[in-house]
Amino acid sequence: MQQTVTNHPLKYLSVLFVSIIMLVFTSCQKDSDIDNPPPAGATKIKEYKNGDEYVRFTYNTDGTIKKATVKSELNTGGDVVDFNITYDAQKKITEVNTSLGEKIVPEYENGQMIRASYFDGPVRTAYTNYWHEAGNLKRVTIYLNMGADFEPFLEFNFAYNANGNLTESVVMMTDGVPNHLVRAGHVTYQFDSGTNPLYEHRDFMALLWQGVSKNNITREEHFDAAQTPEDLYTYVYKYKPNGLPESAVVTIGLPGQTPTTSALNFLYQ
């Protein structure tokens, strides 16, 4: 599944969504960042950190994201990359420019993101189509510029529970045949009732093929294309008095394997 298209972060098309494991991003809702702030009394997330990988946010005076700085092996190849964001009068994202000179331009219909185009200089290198159902992001299909035409390269299909949290994501990927995608694997999820501090930034994260649920993941079961168990992640959170996560311990490994652990940390402002 993990094929690198180029060394630029916007074109790690096959691995960007896999980084939901590392970044705790799991579903996407239709409403805008501004219309759905965190619960009363919560502070805004400043940094999410996993080892030496992180996402850092700086904000405009109206609370919208001014810049997101990302360091991730999967998202940015280990480089530190800035994503600078501009908005329209309705505080919808109109453009995201990276420190590498790349650009993302989203399109909306009835307040929902339906498409995003990715540019390297003047060249449109890829675009993403988004479909929603009952307020949730139902399907995401990524198309690459193949020279003569754009062809589908990667697709994610999502299922949700009654709370709007993701229960399953199915990954489809090109098999080398033009306009043909095959099943590459799937992940099932369980959640607690805690507030996910990244939920208010789900419009931005959707541009990076990341989703964000209202609540925090407690369990991820990963399966390969043949639906054989491939990995298991379990999360145990420590919460602040205001209900936001302060840290988490992630245990990785299938039953019978020697598990490994990692630590997640959340900073706020």
Side-chain angles (χ1 to χ4, degrees), residues 31-181:
D31 301 310
S32 72
D33 298 346
I34 305 307
D35 293 338
N36 291 272
T43 54
K44 299 182 76 68
I45 188 163
K46 180 179 181 181
E47 179 182 85
Y48 167 86
K49 190 171 185 180
N50 186 338
D52 66 347
E53 300 187 330
Y54 57 81
V55 181
R56 293 173 180 160
F57 297 101
T58 58
Y59 295 95
N60 297 305
T61 56
D62 62 1
T64 56
I65 304 171
K66 180 178 183 180
K67 179 175 68 176
T69 301
V70 180
K71 181 179 186 294
S72 167
E73 286 298 325
L74 293 176
N75 287 74
T76 66
D79 296 330
V80 177
V81 178
D82 291 333
F83 294 82
N84 298 286
I85 306 168
T86 57
Y87 302 84
D88 62 16
Q90 287 72 47
K91 298 183 180 179
K92 288 290 188 181
I93 297 173
T94 57
E95 193 169 284
V96 178
N97 289 277
T98 80
S99 53
L100 297 182
E102 298 172 320
K103 180 173 65 175
I104 311 172
V105 180
E107 301 174 37
Y108 299 87
E109 186 175 280
N110 299 322
Q112 293 185 337
M113 190 181 299
I114 60 168
R115 186 171 297 106
S117 295
Y118 302 81
F119 295 88
D120 186 1
V123 179
R124 189 186 188 208
T125 57
Y127 70 89
T128 302
N129 283 344
Y130 303 88
W131 289 266
H132 297 80
E133 182 178 282
N136 295 315
L137 187 61
K138 185 66 175 177
R139 186 166 84 249
V140 175
T141 307
I142 302 162
Y143 296 79
L144 293 186
N145 186 341
M146 305 304 292
D149 202 357
F150 287 83
E151 295 181 8
F153 175 75
L154 193 63
E155 182 174 278
F156 306 98
N157 294 277
F158 306 112
Y160 299 84
N161 62 20
N163 294 326
N165 283 325
L166 190 66
T167 57
E168 182 181 70
S169 62
V170 178
V171 184
M172 306 289 290
M173 194 170 182
T174 182
D175 60 354
V177 177
N179 299 307
H180 189 247
L181 301 176

